[in-house]
Amino acid sequence: MMKIVWLMPECPFPANTGGRVVEWNRIKELAKNNDIYLFVIVDGRDEFQYMEQLQKLCKEVHFYLRGRSPALLLKSLIYPYPAVSRWSSKMRSDIEECYKSIHPDVVMVEFPQMIGNLSKLIRNEAQIVVNQHNIEHLSMVSIAGHINKPLKRVIYKIVSNQLKKYERVQYKKLNVLIYTFVSKSDKEYFEKEYGLNNTLLVPPGAWVQDIKPASDSKKLLFVAKMTYEPNETGAVWFVENIWDNIKKKIPDAELFLVGKDPTEKLIACCKNHSGITVTGTVDSVEPYYEQSAVVIVPILSGGGVKVKLIEGLGHGKVIVTTNKGIEGTDFVNGTHVLAADSPELFGDICADVIGNPGKYDEIRLAANQLMKRKYSWQGIMGMFENVLRESLK
């Protein structure tokens, strides 16, 4: 049994966003055979209610409020704001005390922004694992390319440059056991850019269901945290450029946009089109997956592997996405998913899947087989745990 001190930049429960789904399921799997000491930055005091749920899995759970003081804006002139807003002197000292007390096997850091919460003692002595998820500065450059507001676009590019410099400095100071990534392309970029090869691919997984008969539903589904720029941009792109053409072909088609914090821009956009439901936060996404014929992943920017893609495939659904949506995965257009970058083709594919559901059974079956082989949570985290144990010997 390993003792793992784990730093996270957000509360992993409830698992209602892509990042939280990954973190929650990783905790659930690793907590089966190991002691987890969890240190979490949360956005508000309302999230303290979730400590009890996490304490069922972890040996200890500690929450700290994310910084929002005006002084952080001055600090962000030097360090990237996504990092400094998640640094806590209290967290840093508590982690050091925990380290001295339990002598953990591993200190696991979720995202490089959280490295600032490691004291000098831990940086020098601990076996550190940094879970990258994606290359943050590349992701921000990609997002900036799809932002229409000039000032916001400039801010994203500035923060991207800050993150790149910050990470390069941190990697020189740290003695990291393993860097993990969710996509092959990000892993390869990291190795080439930083000359570091102690890397491991740990993609997001899903609880893979057996294939059910094709649905004759007329419902399309997009599950995402809508305040995340690529999700909002993709949803608006789909609604404004694709949805009305689908409705012309299938008048009783319905679109469900499910996810926390839908933006005013998205809500206003959807009011101009019929047949769209914007749910906001829901207790469970399961009923929506169950009732949908098509899961769309209209992603135009960002980085890493899209958890919403993996989740949809885990539910045995036909996925219609962009080529950006399958970037960094083993899923092939026409074999496991259906991908299109033009609005016309994207809409035509969606309409054809709804009108001819049985036509795509082979694609669903091929995706399901690949999911069970390479993207189940049990298999992924079993591999990760084994690599950790071997690396610590």
Side-chain angles (χ1 to χ4, degrees):
M1 178 175 286
M2 292 184 291
K3 295 176 183 176
I4 303 173
V5 169
W6 205 335
L7 286 66
M8 289 194 172
E10 65 174 350
C11 182
F13 186 88
N16 53 14
T17 68
R20 292 185 178 201
V21 166
V22 170
E23 291 165 354
W24 174 244
N25 284 292
R26 285 182 174 182
I27 288 173
K28 283 204 300 184
E29 286 300 302
L30 284 184
K32 290 177 180 177
N33 303 311
N34 306 286
D35 287 339
I36 308 295
Y37 298 78
L38 191 63
F39 294 81
V40 183
I41 295 290
V42 296
D43 286 330
R45 291 195 178 278
D46 58 313
E47 293 192 298
F48 278 67
Q49 64 182 302
Y50 304 126
M51 285 185 74
E52 184 178 352
Q53 190 68 32
L54 289 163
Q55 285 166 343
K56 294 176 182 177
L57 298 175
C58 302
K59 198 81 171 177
E60 291 182 11
V61 179
H62 305 267
F63 276 14
Y64 307 85
L65 286 173
R66 184 175 179 180
R68 300 191 186 280
S69 70
L72 287 178
L73 295 178
L74 292 175
K75 237 181 187 180
S76 66
L77 295 175
I78 304 172
Y79 301 104
Y81 183 80
V84 295
S85 66
R86 292 181 171 89
W87 294 350
S88 163
S89 57
K90 174 64 172 165
M91 175 188 268
R92 190 180 303 114
S93 62
D94 287 352
I95 291 170
E96 182 169 311
E97 286 303 309
C98 179
Y99 181 85
K100 291 176 180 176
S101 173
I102 68 168
H103 305 291
D105 299 282
V106 176
V107 174
M108 194 128 65
V109 182
E110 215 72 22
F111 289 90
Q113 293 94 307
M114 293 293 287
I115 291 172
N117 292 300
L118 301 181
S119 68
K120 186 176 180 180
L121 171 70
I122 293 176
R123 288 168 180 264
N124 291 337
E125 293 186 5
Q127 298 281 14
I128 298 171
V129 173
V130 179
N131 295 324
Q132 291 275 1
H133 292 263
N134 52 52
I135 307 294
E136 286 287 288
H137 67 265
L138 290 183
S139 180
M140 286 201 162
V141 169
S142 175
I143 293 169
H146 290 82
I147 293 176
N148 295 323
K149 297 178 180 178
L151 179 58
K152 193 172 183 180
R153 186 164 60 244
V154 169
I155 291 171
Y156 264 78
K157 288 182 178 179
I158 290 172
V159 174
S160 170
N161 288 330
Q162 286 181 317
L163 278 169
K164 186 174 183 179
K165 292 176 183 176
Y166 162 77
E167 289 182 31
R168 190 175 294 280
V169 169
Q170 294 302 322
Y171 300 151
K172 288 181 179 178
K173 293 180 179 179
L174 286 177
N175 183 24
V176 175
L177 184 69
I178 301 172
Y179 295 93
T180 77
F181 296 86
V182 299
S183 83
K184 290 186 291 186
S185 54
D186 284 343
K187 177 177 176 290
E188 290 166 359
Y189 170 89
F190 180 88
E191 291 170 348
K192 184 177 180 181
E193 179 72 18
Y194 298 103
L196 297 167
N197 295 301
N198 51 330
T199 60
L200 180 67
L201 185 66
V202 186
W207 302 105
V208 185
Q209 301 179 10
D210 291 331
I211 289 290
K212 297 177 181 178
S215 171
D216 59 0
S217 165
K218 302 294 191 295
K219 296 178 179 178
L220 293 86
L221 175 66
F222 181 38
V223 179
K225 180 182 179 181
M226 297 303 172
T227 49
Y228 182 49
E229 194 81 39
N231 294 338
E232 181 201 51
T233 299
V236 170
W237 173 76
F238 182 85
V239 170
E240 290 186 342
N241 298 287
I242 299 172
W243 180 241
D244 287 349
N245 290 331
I246 293 175
K247 289 287 284 183
K248 286 177 184 177
K249 296 179 179 179
I250 305 176
D252 54 345
E254 297 178 77
L255 172 63
F256 287 83
L257 301 176
V258 177
K260 66 181 295 189
D261 303 328
T263 63
E264 291 182 8
K265 177 181 178 181
L266 178 60
I267 292 170
C269 166
C270 292
K271 285 181 178 177
N272 299 323
H273 304 266
S274 64
I276 301 176
T277 300
V278 182
T279 68
T281 302
V282 297
D283 292 333
S284 172
V285 296
E286 294 304 316
Y288 295 93
Y289 278 115
E290 185 69 28
Q291 297 166 19
S292 298
V294 181
V295 171
I296 61 169
V297 186
I299 297 299
L300 308 175
S301 64
V305 172
K306 312 303 177 286
V307 177
K308 56 190 73 65
L309 171 79
I310 304 297
E311 285 280 297
L313 290 169
H315 283 82
K317 298 297 177 177
V318 176
I319 304 293
V320 183
T321 183
T322 58
N323 284 292
K324 185 70 177 177
I326 55 174
E327 192 175 77
T329 73
D330 291 325
F331 300 105
V332 177
N333 179 22
T335 301
H336 308 105
V337 300
L338 303 168
D341 293 329
S342 76
E344 295 78 13
L345 183 55
F346 200 113
D348 288 346
I349 293 171
C350 289
D352 194 52
V353 174
I354 293 173
N356 304 282
K359 177 179 175 181
Y360 297 94
D361 281 349
E362 287 188 12
I363 282 180
R364 290 198 303 133
L365 180 59
N368 187 257
Q369 290 172 342
L370 182 56
M371 284 292 298
K372 288 181 176 178
R373 195 166 65 249
K374 297 194 70 172
Y375 290 92
S376 73
W377 276 122
Q378 299 95 325
I380 290 168
M381 294 311 294
M383 174 276 297
F384 182 38
E385 186 172 350
N386 288 336
V387 170
L388 272 181
R389 293 184 187 281
E390 287 299 314
S391 299
L392 292 168
K393 287 181 178 178

